Amino acid sequence: METMATKLLLTFAICRLIVTVGLTIDPTDLLRLGGAAAAAVGGIQLSVDQSDLESASMDFGMLTRTEPLAVLHPSSAEDVARLVKAAYTSAQVFTVSARGHGHSINGQAQTNNGVVIQMSGSGAGGEKRVGPRPGPPRVFEKERFVDVWGGELWIDVLKSTLEHGLAPKSWTDYLYLSVGGTLSNAGISGQAFNHGPQISNVHELDVVTGKGEILTCSEEENTELFHGVLGGLGQFGIITRARISLEPAPQRVRWIRVLYSNFSAFTGDQEYLISLHGQPDAQKFDYVEGFVIVDEGLINNWRSSFFSPRNPVKISSINGGNGGVLYCLEITKNYHESTADTIDQAAAVLTDKEVEALLKKLNFIQTSVFTTDLPYVDFLDRVHKAELKLRSKGLWDVPHPWLNLFVPKSRIADFDKGVFKGILGNKTSGPILIYPMNKNKWDQRSSVVTPDEDVFYLVALLRSALDTGEDIHSLEYLSNQNRQVLRFCDDTGIKVKHYLPHYTTQEEWMDHFGDKWGRFHQRKMEFDPRHIMATGQRIFKLSSTSSSSSMALL
């Protein structure tokens, strides 16, 4: 019965496409394609191929599986708008979800009663785009910005801008994510203390709203849509073009890691370093992150081969044999290579004195300094190298019960005591990031919610559930541990906010957005009144009529 209902709904949806854009294909023919290929429907690549459906039914979290009715491979914003318009005007409305590289979790880019729009040109396994693709990034050197398709991966944006000696200012740690995907959340990494998140570095967007309209928005034009879409979890429309701010790209990076056994010294140094954001480049680092080490094995294997395998770092040797938790501060300094024809080497070349002057003000364990120099692009793409190693061992495509929290500065010491030194014990199954950001670098008109303090920390438990036979690596154990962390925060009054949020009740979503909920709901009713967009986020229930004001959850 379920299969028959699904086919009937898809047939009905395609019939609406036929009515809307004047197509002549018999929709039942699409259902008979089986595993053949995508069907060209009035210029739209609408696929019911089983491999496409299977790919769109899973995400990086691998925690849920939801198969869509069909997959659209768009070649333009018009393709996206045509499909969304059909969904919006249909008497029997169907849903639309945009999928980039498939790196989201908790089914946030999935739908079981509609169409997934595959915005990015290749999947996690590197499969190529079906049909024609939108144009490549277009760099404007003089104005220092780049126009990119919403499904473009950041690694490809970087490659395009570097050809002009330019690069975006703010990044995510992993570059194989889509532009539209990260801008729908925020997009953060170690540059955020200085440049703000990626959403703070956008000049303009083209968005297909939930009504099927293509609108250009910016600070000056359609401002409610502009600020709503940035960090809006895909609720108001699909980003088809983004205009990203650029800066001159450095050539190389001095990458430094130092260790701490004292948490207050660690956070004190991090907070000092991000307070330098207004200083000249020579007087600050370009990137500030950190991570927690509760498992000795992780210090030599965290995300990259940073430390030499021939000289592994031992927690016991650094921590005086006392065991316990260590903290690693990760910082970088960008620079240009010295050449014979460099006119002003003093301004262009990194000097050891700059780094030494900054390090002298920090309180790390003096014997723990590890430094390496590498090309700028290699540093930015560092996580991909770790990905390739994990893939080769079958350790990448596993469940990822991640938990990402923004923790207010005033309670980070309590979080350390209760979580890092308490709940987590001395074993974990993946990296734990921790680094502070300046709230004044975040535009509060966006949809993103942050703690109500001038400085707050990202704490990211990026664990992987492994089938090792050990309970501590199991999905059940890690998921339960996440619940313990959240319960601890609730019991002790630590007012955390979720990054990449996922909730199942309207009360939880309203609590998450706080005083932003009213505007968030108002924007939803204006730009997606039938609630057809991004239903995998489970914020609003699908509306049967365009005039409905239903606020119920799925």
Side-chain angles (χ1 to χ4, degrees), residues 95-107:
T95 63
V96 177
S97 291
R99 184 178 191 269
H101 192 52
H103 205 76
S104 59
I105 56 177
N106 295 312

Side-chain angles (χ1 to χ4, degrees), residues 101 124 174 176 383-392 396:
H101 192 52
Y174 181 58
Y176 287 75
V383 178
H384 182 55
K385 294 181 178 179
E387 173 191 352
L388 295 177
K389 292 180 180 179
L390 291 173
R391 282 189 181 278
S392 68
W396 184 260

Side-chain angles (χ1 to χ4, degrees), residues 319-385:
N319 223 10
N322 296 322
V325 178
L326 282 180
Y327 311 93
C328 181
L329 172 65
E330 187 172 40
I331 45 185
T332 72
K333 198 76 176 69
N334 300 335
Y335 66 99
H336 292 273
E337 292 179 294
S338 176
T339 60
D341 56 358
T342 299
I343 298 175
D344 186 0
Q345 291 190 15
V349 181
L350 172 74
T351 65
D352 290 336
K353 290 182 179 179
E354 291 176 359
V355 173
E356 289 175 4
L358 286 165
L359 290 178
K360 282 182 179 178
K361 298 180 180 180
L362 306 182
N363 299 296
F364 53 86
I365 299 171
Q366 293 300 310
T367 58
S368 71
V369 181
F370 299 89
T371 302
T372 189
D373 289 75
L374 71 170
Y376 180 63
V377 66
D378 288 357
F379 171 72
L380 292 181
D381 200 29
R382 63 199 180 280
V383 178
H384 182 55
K385 294 181 178 179

